[in-house]
Amino acid sequence: MLLVTGGLGYIGSHFVIVALQSGYDVVVIDNLSNSHAHTQQHIETIAQSHFQFIEGDIRNKSLLERIFKQYQIDTVIHFAGLKAVAESVVSPMRYYDNNVYGSLVLLEAMQEHCIQKIVFSSSATVYGEPQYLPYDEKHPTIPINPYGHTKLHVENVLQDVCQADKDFAAVTLRYFNPIGAHPSGLIGENPKDIPNNLMPYIVKVAQGNLPYLQVFGDDYDTRDGTGERDYIYVMDLVQGHLAALSYLNKKGFHIFNLGTGTGTTVLELVAAFEAANSVTINQRVMPRREGDLSKFWANPSLAKTELNWQAVTPLHVSCLLNS
Ligand code: NAD
Ligand code: WQD
């Protein structure tokens, strides 16, 4: 049985669907700080299957202990975390508390209940300023913001735990830029505040909820001067987690990039979205956003050889509002 932390959030909810559809029993813990309880019904409707949802915080150790006593959990898929880079610069302690301390409490409770398998949601942000591209997993990790530091700290903790306990298996997945939603249109990326990330912002503009897209800089060293990223369809991303689950039979600490291997600029993503959904996105070029990198994308070949996984969905399909 799987414990999915943050399982009602954007990526977690898409994962729970494919996990249920693959026959896994699932328990979700989520404190709803960035998600909605009604997402449970949507997941269950799509997957035609039920799962147990516990509203609570991963920093609540006695709650975790109750969950581990009540359910036969053997593996944790750890999505729960805060992820807004700018917010982490303003409130670093909140990020260390939630992301690092939260993971420590989770790992401690797991160890006490002899649960020795975990998949951890890390981020390409751990690499920092590219020393070469595409980033592979051996690229130096020098994060440039507190959010990135918290992800790297947890990676290091997992590595040390695996070193100390030879029966422990941890797979760290470094996501590039997840986009899109389940084709049903029932769930998707639905942040509680104004989106920070490009794709959910474009969606709000398309829906008329925001007046225009601010294009942060058009003077980068890229094809059209706008920032270039590796946008990966969320359904491909969660398939990577199923592959990682199988890989947990190998003990030890393992890291994989989950990306497509292709860079797309802001203007290219907007154009793909407009074409896919027959809409026009109002846009204005603004100054660069502080802390943004010019361009980065993944070398995803290790995931292909080791996990037998690769992203397969073309960009115009990832951009569809619903099909
Ligand atoms: P999300 O905010 O949609 O989901 C995270 C979920 O965790 C939310 O439902 C939130 O309510 C819950 N949560 C947060 N702190 C919690 C706590 N202390 N206890 C219990 N629940 C808690 O974010 P997401 O995009 O689905 O991201 C999932 C994970 O993937 C995060 O760890 C994030 O850092 C990582 N990640 C995301 C991206 C991205 O661009 N979306 C990229 C790289 C890595
Ligand atoms: C993409 C491009 C922006 C918004 C962040 C985190 C990273 C990961 C993913 C969690 C950039 C431009 C954006 C907008 C814009 N998250 N942009 N107008 O910055 O690559 O990565 O999210 O781990 O850690 O750093 O993603 O979607 O914010 O930006 O022009 O309103 O879109 O400048 O070039 P980013 P993003």
Side-chain angles (χ1 to χ4, degrees):
M1 188 178 277
L2 307 178
L3 176 66
V4 182
T5 75
L8 294 193
Y10 170 43
I11 301 167
S13 58
H14 288 82
F15 170 74
V16 172
I17 290 171
V18 297
L20 291 171
Q21 289 173 335
S22 304
Y24 287 99
D25 289 321
V26 172
V27 177
V28 164
I29 177 170
D30 197 305
N31 66 4
L32 303 180
S33 58
N34 198 33
S35 52
H36 307 266
H38 62 69
T39 298
Q40 177 174 17
Q41 280 101 61
H42 295 320
I43 296 170
E44 291 181 341
T45 303
I46 297 166
Q48 289 293 297
S49 179
H50 174 72
F51 68 93
Q52 192 64 44
F53 168 54
I54 293 146
E55 181 177 347
D57 198 295
I58 56 164
R59 290 164 293 185
N60 182 343
K61 191 161 172 216
S62 56
L63 174 62
L64 290 179
E65 281 169 348
R66 283 204 299 281
I67 294 172
F68 289 148
K69 270 196 197 119
Q70 189 173 349
Y71 302 98
Q72 296 296 310
I73 308 286
D74 52 63
T75 305
V76 175
I77 316 292
H78 181 26
F79 294 102
L82 301 175
K83 60 166 183 175
V85 171
E87 188 184 61
S88 80
V89 176
V90 176
S91 309
M93 286 299 286
R94 230 187 115 214
Y95 274 68
Y96 281 92
D97 181 44
N98 201 86
N99 294 2
V100 179
Y101 173 67
S103 299
L104 292 180
V105 174
L106 176 68
L107 278 166
E108 209 170 46
M110 284 173 65
Q111 284 191 318
E112 285 169 15
H113 289 80
C114 298
I115 298 163
Q116 291 167 311
K117 292 180 178 179
I118 186 167
V119 178
F120 172 59
S121 302
S122 189
S123 167
T125 204
V126 298
Y127 293 119
E129 191 70 53
Q131 297 184 9
Y132 57 85
L133 283 172
Y135 291 129
D136 59 25
E137 290 82 355
K138 293 197 178 85
H139 186 284
T141 45
I142 312 172
I144 56 170
N145 54 61
Y147 166 70
H149 288 139
T150 67
K151 288 290 166 187
L152 191 57
H153 274 299
V154 178
E155 288 194 7
N156 291 336
V157 170
L158 289 171
Q159 184 161 24
D160 290 343
V161 167
C162 290
Q163 187 65 36
D165 178 353
K166 299 296 180 204
D167 288 327
F168 211 91
V171 172
T172 278
L173 300 175
R174 291 180 177 157
Y175 309 160
F176 280 68
N177 290 60
I179 58 166
H182 188 270
S184 65
L186 279 179
I187 62 165
E189 191 168 15
N190 191 11
K192 287 195 163 171
D193 301 319
I194 292 180
N196 300 296
N197 295 121
L198 179 58
M199 189 56 148
Y201 206 103
I202 293 174
V203 171
K204 293 256 187 227
V205 174
Q207 292 167 338
N209 296 322
L210 288 168
Y212 57 88
L213 172 70
Q214 307 179 71
V215 176
F216 295 139
D218 65 352
D219 56 352
Y220 285 110
D221 169 29
T222 61
R223 287 181 287 285
D224 57 25
T226 63
E228 187 172 346
R229 298 289 185 270
D230 184 338
Y231 297 99
I232 173 169
Y233 185 41
V234 67
M235 298 308 296
D236 286 345
L237 187 80
V238 297
Q239 286 297 334
H241 291 66
L242 290 184
L245 268 175
S246 308
Y247 203 80
L248 287 171
N249 291 327
K250 286 200 172 101
K251 316 268 189 231
F253 179 69
H254 308 276
I255 298 175
F256 300 104
N257 284 341
L258 294 187
T260 67
T262 302
T264 302
T265 67
V266 174
L267 295 185
E268 287 168 348
L269 188 69
V270 171
F273 185 93
E274 289 180 328
N277 299 295
S278 305
V279 290
T280 302
I281 300 298
N282 298 326
Q283 48 191 285
R284 284 190 200 167
V285 175
M286 309 296 281
R288 291 181 178 195
R289 185 172 64 177
E290 206 185 325
D292 266 355
L293 296 169
S294 157
K295 54 184 171 186
F296 63 82
W297 59 94
N299 177 341
S301 54
L302 191 64
K304 187 169 181 205
T305 45
E306 288 294 304
L307 297 180
N308 196 23
W309 169 92
Q310 61 182 326
V312 292
T313 307
L315 190 64
H316 66 271
V317 176
S318 335
C319 282
L320 279 174
L321 273 174
N322 52 56
S323 46

